[in-house]
Amino acid sequence: MAKKSFYSTRFRNIGLVTVFAVYFLILVGGIVRSTGSGMGCPDWPKCFGSWVPPTDVSQLPEDYLEVYKQKRIEKNEKLAASLDQLGFEQMAASIFSHPSQYIETEFNATKTWIEYVNRLVGVLIGIFIFLTVVYAVPYLKRDKAVFYLALGSFVLVGVQGWLGSIVVSTNLLPITVTVHMALALVLVAMLQYAVARAQKDDFDSHFVYSPKINGLLWLLGLITFGQILLGTQVREEIDIVASVLGDANREQWVEELGINFYIHRSFSILVLALHLYVAFLLYGLKDRAITKMTHFMLAIVALEIVLGIGLTYFAIPPVLQPLHLTFAALLFGLQFQLLIVYHYASREAIKKSVVVHR
């Protein structure tokens, strides 16, 4: 029994560290985007052909802009050819039709190192998830799903690394950035579920299971997931507007945004109403753990609204952009955790009810 507890505790600890590390990476990624550092390193996995980035433009060849643009184009030609063979002709064509494809970003030491730190954090997460897989091996005999969730997370990190290289080679092609963000959220959900499933015997409650609440929790998570991806597309529009108007005209950026921004902003009213209704139902369960998480959920929703207002009416301050994204990701993670806790706690309640009636 002690041995089982040791393995369980070790897996839970590394799993939680990894989950929070992924959230930290999302924050760092948001900083990369808000500072315009996404192309701080024009190649991948190295940065300007080196494992340690340069600190001054004098360390680069005079024609570095043309050199790295050509390298990206060559890589994209191979990617487009592969996509075309797989039947994704439209996606292959979009890679070269996007205006950013032939634009190379001039060297900026600060932006280069911001992007480099982002990559280092990604490598660190890869190490954490590898350890998560190693510590999940004992679950092959107890609950294979836990191990395969951990293994799937490790594979997904590899896919994320590859996709990150595509994001760079395509010069931040919108669809690649959106998919990159979506997979990060899926990664968080897989890790959270793996950790929770490994601890499922620890859940306890006395409330009655409600398909309505379960369905609403799923709906909340899906809506938040959609809002985050829509917000990512709004972020893409901001980048385009910024390149046209320049940083000195930030107060004009919101006026130039398209329909995605107005859908994202208006839909937040419905999202708020749904959160309040679900919170009302969750408070009625009178479960300590669920009540505490509901408090945090409402607090994050309120904070997200404040950040959204700040972005809209204060010329999209760079400091608010990564915070808005990170708290949105945390909200999604918290909703998914609520769903997991509700599922396992209600299942235990049903078991107890069956035993009592017998």
Side-chain angles (χ1 to χ4, degrees):
M1 190 71 179
K3 188 176 182 181
K4 179 180 178 181
S5 178
F6 167 73
Y7 284 131
S8 177
T9 301
R10 186 176 66 172
F11 178 76
R12 180 196 64 198
N13 291 342
I14 188 62
L16 290 176
V17 168
T18 306
V19 167
F20 285 112
V22 174
Y23 282 122
F24 180 67
L25 180 60
I26 291 174
L27 172 62
V28 174
I31 294 173
V32 168
R33 295 306 309 283
S34 66
T35 56
S37 304
M39 290 301 294
C41 294
D43 49 344
W44 191 97
K46 294 183 179 181
C47 185
F48 286 103
S50 175
W51 291 112
V52 179
T55 56
D56 190 88
V57 70
S58 62
Q59 298 172 257
L60 300 173
E62 292 184 5
D63 61 343
Y64 75 92
L65 290 174
E66 187 62 31
V67 168
Y68 286 105
K69 182 178 77 172
Q70 190 57 39
K71 285 184 177 180
R72 288 196 302 103
I73 291 175
E74 289 174 0
K75 183 173 183 177
N76 290 341
E77 286 176 344
K78 295 179 181 178
L79 173 63
S82 298
L83 290 173
D84 192 64
Q85 290 178 356
L86 293 171
F88 298 101
E89 295 89 353
Q90 187 175 354
M91 184 180 297
S94 68
I95 291 177
F96 290 97
S97 63
H98 196 267
S100 68
Q101 171 61 218
Y102 302 99
I103 300 174
E104 194 61 48
T105 306
E106 292 189 4
F107 175 79
N108 179 299
T110 301
K111 293 182 178 181
T112 291
W113 278 86
I114 289 175
E115 168 60 14
Y116 186 63
V117 169
N118 178 47
R119 296 184 184 188
L120 289 179
V121 175
V123 171
L124 184 62
I125 287 174
I127 295 172
F128 284 156
I129 293 187
F130 175 74
L131 291 175
T132 303
V133 175
V134 173
Y135 292 164
V137 170
Y139 286 94
L140 279 170
K141 295 181 178 179
R142 304 170 193 169
D143 188 346
K144 291 183 179 180
V146 174
F147 173 79
Y148 287 118
L149 281 166
L151 182 61
S153 300
F154 184 69
V155 173
L156 188 55
V157 165
V159 173
Q160 279 286 72
W162 171 80
L163 187 58
S165 73
I166 301 302
V167 169
V168 171
S169 71
T170 57
N171 204 344
L172 311 179
L173 187 68
I175 185 63
T176 61
V177 177
T178 301
V179 173
H180 201 47
M181 184 67 235
L183 291 182
L185 296 177
V186 172
L187 176 62
V188 165
M190 289 177 66
L191 288 168
Q192 286 185 209
Y193 182 52
V195 173
R197 188 179 177 97
Q199 312 295 319
K200 60 185 177 183
D201 294 335
D202 297 336
F203 292 99
D204 186 27
S205 186
H206 304 283
F207 59 78
V208 178
Y209 173 78
S210 167
K212 178 181 179 180
I213 293 178
N214 187 70
L216 285 172
L217 286 173
W218 272 108
L219 180 61
L220 269 185
L222 291 174
I223 286 177
T224 301
F225 187 86
Q227 274 285 79
I228 293 174
L229 297 190
L230 187 58
T232 303
Q233 294 180 355
V234 172
R235 174 67 236 188
E236 299 298 337
E237 293 180 9
I238 291 175
D239 289 344
I240 295 173
V241 171
S243 66
V244 174
L245 297 180
D247 194 62
N249 301 296
R250 298 183 73 93
E251 68 280 355
Q252 300 177 29
W253 287 7
V254 173
E255 298 175 7
E256 299 297 325
L257 295 177
I259 188 65
N260 284 339
F261 167 72
Y262 294 100
I263 294 175
H264 183 66
R265 185 179 65 176
S266 301
F267 198 60
S268 62
I269 299 174
L270 176 61
V271 172
L272 173 61
L274 184 59
H275 274 88
L276 291 174
Y277 178 60
V278 172
F280 171 75
L281 296 178
L282 292 176
Y283 283 138
L285 298 175
K286 300 186 184 304
D287 180 88
R288 181 178 299 179
I290 289 179
T291 295
K292 184 180 296 185
M293 284 190 288
T294 304
H295 289 335
F296 282 119
M297 181 180 72
L298 291 180
I300 293 176
V301 169
L303 182 58
E304 276 289 272
I305 292 175
V306 171
L307 290 172
I309 292 173
L311 286 167
T312 302
Y313 294 101
F314 294 96
I316 314 181
V319 69
L320 297 187
Q321 291 174 314
L323 292 177
H324 192 54
L325 173 63
T326 304
F327 280 109
L330 283 170
L331 179 61
F332 170 78
L334 185 57
Q335 291 166 347
F336 191 71
Q337 190 67 23
L338 265 169
L339 182 64
I340 294 170
V341 170
Y342 181 77
H343 169 73
Y344 282 120
S346 60
R347 194 175 70 171
E348 288 303 311
I350 291 174
K351 287 181 179 179
K352 288 181 180 180
S353 176
V354 172
V355 172
V356 169
H357 284 87
R358 283 181 178 176

